[in-house]
Amino acid sequence: KNQVEQSPQSLIILEGKNCTLQCNYTVSPFSNLRWYKQDTGRGPVSLTIMTFSENTKSNGRYTATLDADTKQSSLHITASQLSDSASYICVVSARSEYGNKLVFGAGTILRVKS
Amino acid sequence: EAQVTQNPRYLITVTGKKLTVTCSQNMNHEYMSWYRQDPGLGLRQIYYSMNVEVTDKGDVPEGYKVSRKEKRNFPLILESPSPNQTSLYFCASSPGDSPYEQYFGPGTRLTVT
């Protein structure tokens, strides 16, 4: 069964600190992996999209890694800011004869405190 | 401004009263999709559309209908809403199937009593 598991479920860190969020998946056949940021009450916004051949991708203070062999991804946030407080969602795309199927993780809720 | 719009943003209704949530995008995207988001479950796909007049079921289509008569619009129809359809709904669009970035609307919070 295609699944995406994220950890931790929630995380509280101090402003200025770094943190790393984890995503493990069993989706097959793999097409690509995305990280989204979702502010409370708003729609998700894309941070990165990585295909099979990419193992690192950055977007400002956000750096995503992908290990397609172990089926793991991480999202590293550097020098956190209060505005980083949000839910971070890992989404894996599986190829099928009908097109690509997106499988969503439940998300990690990050709270950055001053 | 490139965007996905949804209306209404908030809706409280009663069981069995038909309703429609509209979704419109101004980016000429071919792919559109509806999701519902419930606490602890993440986003689950209800229906998607690869292009005009082409729609297909997602993971949780029961109790919902959609139509895609024009490229820009993708309404979600609840013929007879029930309390278990109380949720936060998101519409999304992208230029194609994958690996294109999906653009999400602001969400519609629906309560069915």
Side-chain angles (χ1 to χ4, degrees):
Chain A
K1 180 181 178 184
N2 288 331
Q3 281 189 315
V4 175
E5 301 284 343
Q6 291 188 244
S7 62
Q9 276 190 316
S10 61
L11 181 63
I12 301 174
I13 61 173
L14 288 175
E15 187 178 14
K17 297 295 186 183
N18 303 335
C19 68
T20 300
L21 314 180
Q22 300 291 342
C23 173
N24 296 338
Y25 62 91
T26 58
V27 175
S28 181
F30 177 87
S31 177
N32 59 76
L33 184 144
R34 310 147 185 243
W35 282 94
Y36 286 88
K37 178 187 179 189
Q38 185 177 19
D39 293 317
T40 301
R42 310 190 81 162
V45 174
S46 179
L47 294 174
T48 64
I49 300 176
M50 287 186 291
T51 58
F52 187 87
S53 59
E54 298 172 297
N55 54 25
T56 301
K57 204 157 197 177
S58 291
N59 178 357
R61 294 179 296 102
Y62 301 100
T63 299
T65 65
L66 172 64
D67 186 333
D69 291 332
T70 61
K71 298 188 177 180
Q72 295 180 325
S73 175
S74 65
L75 180 69
H76 186 75
I77 304 174
T78 304
S80 61
Q81 300 175 359
L82 296 178
S83 59
D84 292 331
S85 296
S87 177
Y88 291 84
I89 303 170
C90 176
V91 185
V92 183
S93 179
R95 290 195 310 273
S96 76
E97 59 183 297
Y98 305 109
N100 286 277
K101 171 71 178 171
L102 296 180
V103 185
F104 288 78
T108 291
I109 298 172
L110 173 66
R111 181 178 165 206
V112 180
K113 292 173 56 177
S114 58
Chain B
E1 181 191 352
Q3 61 183 348
V4 178
T5 57
Q6 294 179 228
N7 281 292
R9 294 289 315 279
Y10 303 91
L11 179 60
I12 300 174
T13 189
V14 295
T15 299
K17 187 176 181 181
K18 181 180 178 180
L19 66 92
T20 300
V21 184
T22 64
C23 172
S24 184
Q25 51 93 4
N26 61 1
M27 296 169 278
N28 201 37
H29 286 170
E30 291 187 347
Y31 186 93
M32 297 185 75
S33 184
W34 274 103
Y35 300 90
R36 61 177 289 174
Q37 187 174 36
D38 302 292
L41 293 179
L43 284 151
R44 292 180 291 168
Q45 191 177 52
I46 303 170
Y47 269 93
Y48 65 95
S49 169
M50 304 280 276
N51 214 326
V52 176
E53 301 291 2
V54 181
T55 63
D56 208 348
K57 296 177 181 179
D59 296 317
V60 289
E62 294 78 20
Y64 304 95
K65 285 175 57 178
V66 293
S67 69
R68 188 92 182 273
K69 292 182 169 48
E70 310 164 277
K71 201 171 191 178
R72 63 183 293 126
N73 296 322
F74 190 45
L76 179 69
I77 303 157
L78 285 72
E79 294 272 5
S80 182
S82 62
N84 65 12
Q85 292 179 297
T86 292
S87 187
L88 180 57
Y89 291 86
F90 288 100
C91 179
S93 75
S94 65
D97 186 4
S98 183
Y100 302 103
E101 177 181 340
Q102 279 209 349
Y103 295 84
F104 284 82
T108 294
R109 186 166 292 281
L110 172 66
T111 301
V112 184
T113 61

